[in-house]
């Protein structure tokens, strides 16, 4: 009976779907285990073979935990809002919902074909109104919360209003805007409703503010830093400029220290933790206030080196700093404006990364040094960013290389404040070996003492204080797009109002086009029906806005990270229409036990998700403040590109072995045209693309051989391998095994379709082990000692491998076990039945089929994992080498518990010993129990 993998896999995939085999229960006597993949964005290209790597690993672990007696939650869904679908809609006019639906159907088909044990009854899609109703609800909870520094947690805004009414804000220690006015309870109670709303907006965890953003005019939207590559939009390659806009923002900065501290409580990869720690950017130092000469304005700076304050010889403001326009002298205005305009065309990321370019312009204004009262020239420079710190730096060129280079370039003084240090060639930044000089009361002090003294003296002057600073900025939460979650917000007299839960979701309206309006409003400004009727509590036509009962709705939409910041919790109770999830469900599942996904999400999704989780914990909505106990970053499966060589200036292509004879250009071609011997058919290439139609070829030995290059799998390089074709040709079980066999989960590894034949051959051998020709050949025969030894060493190794996520070595173990059992001619059910359970997490379809043939009516997913028994690996006998005068002549198998005397007697009685001695009496017999026997004489 042949191994018909296509029929077998289709049968069991249908069985799992019909029987809900992998459906998790929210209440169970079993211990719970939650295995999660970072859910995919469903692109039109579908999956390539690199995408399932993490899914296969998580699926193996989920299946294993079921075998170990756990109630396993292993869900899947789609991060289905996003810019690509919107851009496609702009180009084609097709609604993003249609494109997204088609893409999801394609993904689902591909995922099912690989045989994942997902609980599809819990599927979520972030673009589904039944899902984003709760995204909108969480936004409202954030709006109705403030951060209490004393309690170190978020609290309801109603409690803050109560405090204001009773005692004003003098004693309130909250995270809030810097320009909050001080008021008494009497003041508060006398404020108008709008004035109160304006004050509260400065405290809310999500708030409106004028913010510097990355604006892409071509796309008509704000972009996050990670959506910009080399100063242009990742999508489309369009220019990006810096622009001030009124945006919704979230006070993630309130959680900066907790986000750092929480990393110590979770089992996540250290490089990922380091990325988050660096992104948050905690530093200790001082806030210093410089007065601006001739103005009422002051410049606040944060510095980690207040000990170097006497080395300040200039100040630099970010070009976007609000003071620039106020303090620039008339003579410098034109140069300043030209510089600001040029800077606006560069992304923050480019400005941070560019350490070679030195540029800046003098404002013409001066600050006053806090201690010496000397004038300090104020410059602007694009290496200072408005959103980092205060957007201003006190430049100490003798102690900072960038300041040093700037000062040298523009001829600014570089005073030396370090004792015994030469700064003629470069700045001196070794704080541990610093002794301060030329600095009045700091002279002779080392770094730590000088820092404390400088802060003390600044506080005495009222021009500074010790401070902990974070580089992490509040997250801009508005996007000028169509295809995103609508805000549950309408405006009365310019102030945002939240729509009640019972009226959610606020769904996306139909629009004629998916572009911003001609007047610059986001695409939702094109909607005919997009205003809120407070009398009817419904969305109504814009045509009837009378501002008595009808008010404008927010036209921006939420960013892509909104839905992905809590989706893992929604999986616990995804069909609940009344709550984001029930308390029973969240208290049962609590958090994700194993999360697998890419490291590229370290400072995006994972940071935002941890922020939302901590907020929901503060408000008593979730029971834990970290959402994932353990996280693994899977490595990337790389493509093996195929390269053809064109003689420069011609349309002639030479085979790889001949290319060094010519000046050639390299072109990548579709890897799916290449056979296992790296051979390409010239006719296939001619028919592939028009540019090759009239190509000529110079072959070697009658063949055209391509070159190979291992690089990222991408449509751009034509090296994408579709998993559907692999499943059709070799089966999903072969694909699953091969992806694991390629190497350690966390490492990058190249794909080579030819290599899959090895694991496919193993599966054929496994199938054959259970058959005697065309007949199913498993019997109730007693297993041999060797059978048991093979089985139990396999149980031990596979369990250790899975627990350590060393899936590649398990595949090798299976191959060894099947080879040994085949050689042993094993057909014992006592051995072959538990072997299937071991194989099942990796190759579930063949395991299900053979399990069924063994007479089981239930899925193998319900079977218990085999128990390792040490006794089967303990050797009870020893194969002794029997030597005569040091030369080994034969071997004897003897029990290990024999005494020296018994071993000697057994050896002397053996017929081969008698033949060797030929009647002689040996001088002595040397016996080392468990090792050797040597007959001397």
């Amino acid at each position: 009976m042949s191994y018909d993998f296509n029929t077998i896999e289709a049968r069991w995939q249908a069985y799992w779907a019909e029987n809900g085999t992998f459906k998790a229960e929210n209440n169970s006597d079993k211990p719970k285990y939650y295995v999660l993949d970072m859910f995919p964005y469903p692109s039109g290209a579908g999956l390539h073979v690199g995408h399932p790597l993490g899914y296969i690993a998580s699926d193996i672990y989920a299946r294993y935990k079921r075998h170990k007696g756990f109630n396993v939650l292993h869900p899947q869904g789609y991060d289905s809002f996003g810019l690509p679908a919107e851009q496609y809609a702009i180009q084609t006019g097709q609604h993003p919902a249609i494109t997204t639906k088609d893409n999801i159907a394609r993904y689902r088909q591909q995922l099912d074909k690989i045989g994942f044990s997902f609980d599809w009854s819990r599927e979520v899609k972030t673009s589904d109104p039944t899902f984003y109703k709760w995204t909108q609800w969480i936004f409202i909870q954030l709006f109705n919360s403030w951060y209490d520094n004393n309690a170190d947690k978020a609290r309801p805004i109603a409690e803050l209003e109560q405090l204001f009414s009773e005692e004003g804000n003098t004693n309130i220690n909250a995270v809030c805007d810097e320009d909050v006015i001080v008021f008494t309870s009497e003041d508060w109670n006398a404020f108008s409703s709008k004035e109160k709303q304006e004050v509260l907006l400065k405290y809310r965890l999500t708030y409106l503010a004028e913010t510097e953003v990355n604006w892409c005019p071509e796309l008509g939207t704000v972009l996050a830093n990670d959506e910009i590559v080399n100063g242009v939009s990742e999508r489309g390659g369009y220019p990006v400029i810096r622009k001030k806009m009124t945006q919704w923002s979230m006070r993630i900065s309130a959680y900066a220290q907790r986000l750092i501290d929480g990393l110590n409580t979770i089992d996540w990869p250290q490089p990922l933790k380091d990325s988050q720690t660096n992104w948050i950017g905690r530093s200790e130092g001082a806030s210093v206030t410089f007065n601006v000469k001739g103005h009422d304005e002051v410049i606040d700076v944060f510095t980690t080196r207040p000990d170097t304050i006497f080395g300040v010889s200039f100040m630099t403001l970010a070009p976007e700093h609000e003071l620039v326009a106020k303090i620039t002298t008339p003579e410098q205005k034109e140069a300043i404006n030209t510089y600001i305009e040029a800077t606006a065309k560069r992304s923050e990321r480019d400005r941070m990364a560019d350490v070679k370019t030195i540029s800046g312009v003098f404002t013409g204004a001066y600050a006053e040094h806090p201690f010496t009262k000397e004038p300090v020239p104020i410059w602007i420079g694009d290496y200072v960013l408005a959103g980092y710190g205060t957007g201003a730096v006190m430049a100490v060129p003798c102690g900072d290389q960038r300041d040093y280079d700037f000062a040298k370039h523009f001829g600014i003084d570089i005073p030396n404040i370090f004792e015994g240090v030469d700064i003629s060639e470069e700045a001196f930044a070794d704080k541990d070996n610093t002794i301060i000089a030329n600095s009045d009361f700091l002279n002779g002090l080392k770094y730590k003492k000088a820092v404390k003294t400088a802060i003390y003296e600044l506080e005495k002057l009222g021009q500074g204080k010790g401070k902990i600073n974070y580089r992490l900025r509040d997250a801009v939460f508005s996007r000028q797009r169509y295809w995103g979650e609508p805000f549950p917000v309408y405006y009365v007299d310019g102030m945002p109002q939240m729509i009640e839960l019972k009226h959610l979701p606020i769904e996306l309206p139909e629009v004629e086009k998916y572009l911003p309006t001609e007047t610059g409003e986001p695409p939702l400004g094109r909607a005919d029906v997009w205003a809120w009727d407070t009398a009817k509590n419904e969305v109504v036509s814009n045509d009837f806005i009378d501002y008595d009962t009808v008010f404008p709705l927010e036209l921006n939409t939420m960013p892509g990270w909104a839905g992905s910041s809590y989706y893992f919790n929604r999986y616990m109770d995804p069909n609940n229409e009344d709550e984001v999830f029930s308390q029973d469900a969240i208290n049962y599942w609590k958090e994700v036990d194993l999360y697998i996904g890419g490291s590229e999400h370290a400072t995006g999704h994972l940071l935002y998700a941890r922020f939302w989780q901590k907020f929901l914990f503060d408000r008593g909505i979730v029971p834990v403040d970290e959402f994932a106990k353990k996280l693994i970053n899977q490595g990337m499966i790389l493509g093996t590109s195929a390269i053809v060589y064109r003689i420069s200036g011609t349309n002639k292509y030479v085979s790889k072995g001949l290319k060094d004879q010519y000046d050639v250009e390299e072109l990548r071609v579709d890897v799916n045209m290449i056979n296992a011997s790296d051979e390409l058919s010239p006719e296939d290439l001619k028919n592939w693309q028009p540019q090759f139609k009239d190509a000529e070829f110079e072959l070697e030995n009658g063949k055209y051989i391509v070159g190979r290059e291992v690089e990222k799998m991408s449509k751009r390089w034509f090296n994408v391998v579709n998993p559907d074709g692999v499943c059709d040709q070799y089966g999903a079980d072969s694909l699953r095994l091969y992806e694991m066999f390629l190497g350690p989960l966390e490492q990058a590894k190249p794909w080579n379709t030819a290599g899959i034949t090895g694991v496919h051959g193993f599966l054929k051998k496994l199938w054959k082990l259970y058959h005697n020709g065309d007949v199913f050949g498993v019997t109730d025969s007693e297993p041999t000692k060797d059978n048991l030894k093979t089985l139990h060493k396999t149980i031990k190794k596979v369990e250790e491998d899975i627990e350590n996520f060393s899936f590649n070595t398990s595949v090798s173990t299976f191959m060894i076990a099947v080879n040994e059992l085949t050689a042993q001619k094993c057909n014992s059910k006592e051995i072959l039945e538990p072997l299937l359970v071991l194989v099942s997490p990796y190759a579930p379809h063949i395991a299900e089929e053979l399990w069924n043939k063994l007479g089981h009516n239930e899925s193998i997913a319900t079977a218990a994992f085999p128990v390792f028994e040490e006794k089967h690996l303990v050797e009870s006998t020893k194969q002794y080498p029997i030597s005569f005068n040091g030369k080994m002549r034969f071997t004897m198998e003897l029990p290990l518990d024999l005494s020296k005397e018994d071993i000697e007697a057994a050896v002397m009685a053996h017929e081969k010993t008698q033949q060797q001695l030929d009647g002689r009496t040996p001088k002595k017999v040397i016996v080392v129990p468990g090792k050797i026997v040597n007959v001397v004489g």
Side-chain angles (χ1 to χ4, degrees):
M1 186 182 293
S2 64
Y3 170 41
D4 182 2
F5 54 85
N6 292 125
T7 302
I8 290 168
E9 291 177 358
R11 173 163 54 245
W12 288 104
Q13 286 162 15
Y15 174 91
W16 296 330
E18 289 165 13
N19 291 276
T21 303
F22 307 114
K23 192 171 181 179
E25 299 299 328
N26 276 4
N27 288 295
S28 172
D29 294 333
K30 297 177 180 179
K32 72 93 183 180
Y33 201 87
Y34 185 175
V35 180
L36 182 64
D37 303 294
M38 290 185 190
F39 66 169
Y41 174 79
S43 73
L47 297 170
H48 62 60
V49 292
H51 292 128
L53 178 70
Y55 301 162
I56 294 169
S58 66
D59 197 57
I60 289 170
Y61 206 80
R63 288 175 178 273
Y64 164 72
K65 293 302 262 188
R66 290 191 194 98
H67 288 311
K68 296 292 281 186
F70 286 80
N71 178 31
V72 175
L73 174 56
H74 187 37
Q76 186 58 285
Y78 303 96
D79 191 8
S80 50
F81 275 129
L83 193 54
E86 181 153 332
Q87 286 305 295
Y88 188 74
I90 290 167
Q91 293 160 13
T92 65
Q94 186 178 62
H95 198 290
I98 296 171
T99 312
T100 300
K101 183 180 178 182
D102 291 345
N103 292 347
I104 285 174
R106 170 84 176 115
Y107 265 58
R108 176 65 189 271
Q109 182 187 39
Q110 289 186 293
L111 291 168
D112 283 345
K113 196 162 188 173
I114 302 173
F116 295 117
S117 63
F118 294 131
D119 179 355
W120 284 112
S121 71
R122 295 172 182 260
E123 180 186 47
V124 300
K125 308 178 188 81
T126 57
S127 58
D128 187 328
T130 62
F131 180 87
Y132 68 67
K133 167 183 180 177
W134 300 107
T135 316
Q136 293 171 344
W137 179 81
I138 292 174
F139 176 86
I140 294 170
Q141 308 315 303
L142 283 152
F143 182 81
N144 288 327
S145 300
W146 64 291
Y147 201 90
D148 182 348
N149 279 325
N150 290 339
D152 202 17
K153 63 182 286 190
R155 292 173 59 186
I157 204 79
E159 294 179 7
L160 185 63
E161 291 183 84
Q162 182 68 28
L163 289 169
F164 286 167
S165 69
E166 293 172 354
E167 56 188 70
N169 70 344
T170 310
N171 298 318
I172 302 294
N173 182 12
V175 176
C176 57
D177 293 356
E178 291 185 354
D179 61 349
V180 170
I181 60 169
V182 176
F183 54 83
T184 65
S185 59
E186 290 79 12
D187 295 332
W188 172 260
N189 293 322
F191 287 162
S192 67
S193 173
K194 184 176 182 181
E195 286 172 328
K196 287 180 178 180
Q197 290 181 64
E198 287 172 341
V199 170
L200 289 172
L201 204 53
K202 296 177 182 294
Y203 287 87
R204 296 181 187 276
L205 284 184
T206 186
Y207 61 96
L208 282 168
E210 193 174 64
T211 313
E212 281 281 337
V213 294
N214 301 311
W215 174 251
C216 180
E218 288 288 334
L219 297 177
T221 189
V222 169
L223 297 177
N225 282 334
D226 55 9
E227 294 173 314
I228 303 166
V229 178
N230 298 323
V232 297
S233 63
E234 184 179 37
R235 187 77 180 175
Y238 301 118
V240 177
I241 62 172
R242 297 291 293 169
K243 178 180 177 180
K244 280 193 173 180
M245 295 179 68
T246 298
Q247 303 281 300
W248 282 103
S249 290
M250 293 208 170
R251 291 191 206 277
I252 187 174
S253 59
Y255 287 83
Q257 190 59 50
R258 286 173 63 187
L259 287 167
I260 291 174
D261 295 342
L263 293 171
N264 297 322
T265 69
I266 49 181
D267 182 9
W268 287 20
Q270 193 57 46
L272 190 153
K273 289 184 179 185
D274 292 343
S275 293
Q276 290 206 355
T277 301
N278 294 336
W279 189 263
I280 296 165
R282 184 185 194 275
S283 51
E284 295 184 28
S287 172
V288 184
T289 300
F290 288 79
N291 296 319
V292 181
K293 283 183 171 289
H295 296 267
D296 294 332
E297 318 294 336
V298 298
I299 298 173
D300 290 315
V301 300
F302 173 80
T303 176
T304 58
R305 296 293 304 274
D307 58 312
T308 65
I309 193 161
F310 285 94
V312 174
S313 64
F314 65 100
M315 300 191 75
T316 312
L317 304 183
E320 310 89 349
H321 198 291
E322 60 181 11
L323 282 186
V324 174
K326 295 178 182 178
I327 66 173
T328 298
T329 61
E331 297 81 10
Q332 294 298 108
K333 212 162 197 64
E334 185 179 346
I336 287 285
N337 290 341
T338 301
Y339 187 81
I340 290 172
E341 190 178 329
T343 301
K345 296 174 183 175
R346 302 185 71 199
S347 72
E348 284 194 355
R349 187 165 287 182
D350 284 346
R351 287 163 62 181
M352 285 190 288
D354 185 3
V355 295
K356 294 180 180 177
T357 305
I358 301 171
S359 69
V361 179
F362 178 42
T363 65
Y366 291 85
E368 180 184 83
H369 193 283
F371 295 115
T372 68
K373 308 306 179 186
E374 291 293 320
V376 179
I378 303 170
W379 289 66
I380 65 169
D382 66 3
Y383 72 95
V384 183
L385 304 173
Y388 283 88
T390 63
V393 297
M394 60 174 222
V396 181
C398 68
D400 180 273
Q401 192 60 43
R402 197 155 196 171
D403 292 345
Y404 185 93
D405 295 339
F406 192 96
K408 281 277 190 184
H409 186 80
F410 290 109
I412 303 170
D413 286 344
I414 306 178
N416 188 356
I417 56 160
F418 301 121
E419 188 177 295
V421 172
D422 178 12
I423 59 163
S424 60
E425 298 295 328
E426 61 182 2
F428 177 73
D430 184 358
K431 63 187 180 185
D432 293 330
N433 291 306
T434 290
I435 297 176
I436 300 295
N438 304 318
S439 298
D440 196 4
F441 54 83
L442 297 178
N443 286 343
L445 298 182
K446 292 185 177 180
Y447 164 68
K448 288 184 179 178
K449 180 66 174 172
V451 166
K452 289 180 181 178
T453 305
I455 292 172
Y456 173 75
E457 293 295 337
L458 283 165
E459 289 176 347
K460 267 175 47 178
L461 275 181
Q463 284 191 247
K465 60 182 179 180
K467 186 180 179 183
I468 294 173
N469 195 54
Y470 300 92
R471 192 167 61 243
L472 180 68
R473 295 167 295 166
D474 285 346
V476 175
F477 199 67
S478 297
R479 297 292 185 269
Q480 291 65 45
R481 299 176 186 163
Y482 173 76
W483 193 233
E485 296 93 333
F487 284 91
V489 175
Y490 65 99
Y491 290 88
V492 178
D493 196 15
M495 298 306 298
Q497 314 296 319
M498 298 296 114
I499 292 169
E500 293 179 66
L501 170 61
K502 63 185 176 183
H503 305 307
L504 301 182
I506 300 301
E507 297 190 30
L508 279 171
E510 294 292 329
V511 294
E512 181 188 359
K513 289 192 289 188
Y514 305 101
L515 289 165
T517 68
E518 286 69 24
T519 55
E521 292 176 321
L524 290 188
R526 295 182 177 276
D528 293 328
V529 179
W530 198 242
W532 185 251
D533 189 321
T534 55
K536 296 179 180 178
N537 285 318
E538 62 183 29
V539 178
V540 297
S541 170
N542 278 326
D543 297 339
F544 300 105
I545 294 181
D546 57 17
Y547 297 108
D548 287 325
T549 59
V550 179
F551 300 94
L553 283 156
E554 171 65 64
L555 297 181
N556 289 309
T557 52
M558 298 186 199
W561 57 267
S564 64
S565 291
Y566 76 100
Y567 78 105
F568 38 83
N569 290 326
R570 182 65 180 169
Y571 276 137
M572 299 174 188
D573 196 11
N575 303 310
N576 193 328
E577 296 179 5
D578 302 318
E579 303 172 272
V580 61
F581 36 72
S582 72
Q583 284 302 297
D584 285 346
I586 193 78
N587 286 326
Y588 175 72
W589 292 109
K590 284 190 171 63
E591 76 270 271
V592 176
D593 294 285
L594 174 65
Y595 197 22
I596 296 183
S599 59
E600 67 272 18
H601 300 290
T603 54
H605 154 60
L606 291 171
L607 196 61
Y608 296 136
R610 293 182 61 226
F611 158 46
W612 275 33
Q613 182 77 7
K614 289 180 185 299
F615 164 72
L616 293 172
F617 174 75
D618 287 354
R619 294 301 311 273
I621 297 163
V622 299
V624 293
D625 74 342
E626 290 288 348
F627 76 90
K629 279 185 182 178
K630 182 175 181 65
L631 185 144
I632 294 176
N633 293 138
Q634 83 274 15
M636 189 181 292
I637 288 186
L638 303 170
T640 306
S641 300
I643 300 170
V644 295
Y645 305 95
R646 181 174 63 196
I647 299 174
S648 296
T650 74
N651 199 24
K652 187 171 186 178
Y653 295 82
V654 298
S655 188
K656 178 185 174 183
L658 307 173
K659 69 180 177 67
D660 292 341
Q661 301 173 26
Y662 304 94
D663 177 20
V664 296
E665 302 163 350
E666 296 183 354
L667 287 81
R668 284 161 177 76
V669 298
D670 187 353
V671 292
N672 296 294
M673 297 189 296
I674 316 302
N675 69 16
S677 303
D678 291 344
E679 186 180 349
L680 168 68
S681 161
E683 285 306 310
D684 287 347
L685 186 61
K686 286 182 177 184
N687 294 329
W688 180 52
Q689 286 185 351
Q691 64 174 310
F692 299 105
K693 183 180 177 183
D694 299 318
E696 299 175 38
F697 296 86
E698 187 171 334
L699 310 178
E700 50 181 319
N701 301 320
K703 298 177 181 179
Y704 189 94
I705 306 299
V706 298
R708 291 292 204 171
E709 184 75 35
V710 174
E711 51 202 347
K712 183 178 180 180
M713 196 170 282
S714 164
K715 288 187 294 181
R716 177 186 174 193
W717 302 124
F718 306 110
N719 62 2
V720 169
V721 178
N722 188 311
D724 300 13
V726 176
C727 289
D728 289 341
Q729 189 174 357
Y730 298 102
D733 285 341
S734 292
L735 174 71
R736 292 168 65 105
L737 282 169
Y738 183 53
E739 295 223 359
M740 293 299 97
F741 192 47
L742 283 172
L745 178 62
E746 295 90 343
Q747 292 182 10
K749 44 258 178 185
W751 175 272
N752 180 0
T753 302
I756 204 169
T757 54
V759 293
H760 187 61
F762 156 72
L763 289 173
K764 286 181 177 177
K765 209 169 202 179
L766 176 69
W767 180 263
K768 192 174 178 183
L769 181 62
Y770 289 75
H771 293 82
N772 187 4
D774 289 338
V775 180
F776 190 65
V778 180
T779 70
D780 292 326
S781 60
E782 282 292 315
T784 66
K785 278 195 305 180
D786 284 343
N787 294 163
L788 288 164
K789 181 179 178 182
T790 294
L791 173 65
H792 283 273
K793 74 177 181 181
T794 305
I795 295 170
K796 184 174 188 288
K797 184 71 168 70
V798 170
E799 185 162 4
E800 287 172 353
D801 285 346
I802 295 178
E803 291 287 1
N804 292 315
F805 305 97
S806 300
F807 303 120
N808 56 314
T809 50
S810 283
V811 181
S812 306
T813 301
F814 292 141
M815 292 176 173
I816 293 166
V818 169
N819 283 341
E820 288 182 2
L821 293 172
T822 300
Q824 295 161 14
K825 296 183 169 52
C826 176
N827 60 5
S828 170
K829 183 178 181 180
E830 192 177 326
I831 301 297
L832 298 184
E833 187 173 80
L835 179 66
L836 286 179
V837 181
L838 298 179
V839 170
S840 172
Y842 294 79
H845 307 89
I846 192 172
E848 287 276 24
E849 183 73 9
L850 295 171
W851 186 255
N852 183 253
K853 283 174 171 282
L854 284 169
H856 297 284
N857 294 320
E858 288 192 348
S859 166
I860 196 171
T862 64
F865 200 79
V867 177
F868 167 64
E869 295 179 28
E870 180 76 40
K871 66 183 182 184
H872 295 299
L873 300 193
V874 175
E875 300 288 352
S876 59
T877 62
K878 164 71 180 175
Q879 199 80 14
Y880 281 92
I882 311 300
S883 300
F884 291 84
N885 296 321
K887 291 185 179 180
M888 202 273 283
R889 298 300 183 183
F890 64 92
T891 61
M892 281 183 72
E893 186 169 0
L894 296 169
L896 276 170
D897 57 359
L898 288 185
S899 67
K900 277 188 177 183
E901 293 74 17
D902 291 339
I903 293 170
E904 182 178 335
V907 169
M908 294 306 294
H910 199 283
E911 61 181 20
K912 288 187 177 178
T913 301
Q914 301 304 320
Q915 290 171 7
Q916 287 293 328
L917 291 174
D918 195 23
R920 300 188 309 278
T921 301
K923 293 178 181 176
K924 59 180 175 178
V925 178
I926 301 169
V927 176
V928 181
K931 291 189 176 179
I932 61 164
V933 177
N934 186 24
V935 181
V936 181

